[in-house]
Amino acid sequence: MPPTDVCPGPGPDSDPDQIFRLQEQVRQLKEAVVSHAVVDQAIGVVIALGGVTPDEGWIVLKEVSQHTNIKLRNVAETILIWRRTGVMPPQMLAALEDRLGRPRADGPPLDGPPLDGPPLDGPALSGPPPGSPRVSGRSSR
């Protein structure tokens, strides 16, 4: 029988620093899952908008992010908001239109047809883009 006056030492799970690190890791993983979903949805919008492949949609988002100096997740969120509201900052709109509407200066053009409909910065931005579904009662994350 073990002695009753001996208390076991703190286990690895009771260390406050370890608990904090694990909580922070869980928070970061949750944020990454949400961010990944937002980026994937924005890639879908770019695919539909520009007639590009998923890989090209990823490149478009990445290049718009780099050319506007806006974090990729924020670019993706803005594109999703634009699909619902028709509102996008002019700098980002120009970068997106440049990327989808004209060949790249530093490489081959994207495959796929040119943009259909009015220019991205045209009258379509007074409301949701044509064909945009109306979603009510849902909020963005």
Side-chain angles (χ1 to χ4, degrees), residues 43-63:
I43 289 171
V45 170
V46 172
I47 289 168
L49 184 68
V52 298
T53 68
D55 288 340
E56 291 167 336
W58 164 251
I59 292 168
V60 168
L61 282 185
K62 192 169 65 169
E63 289 182 354

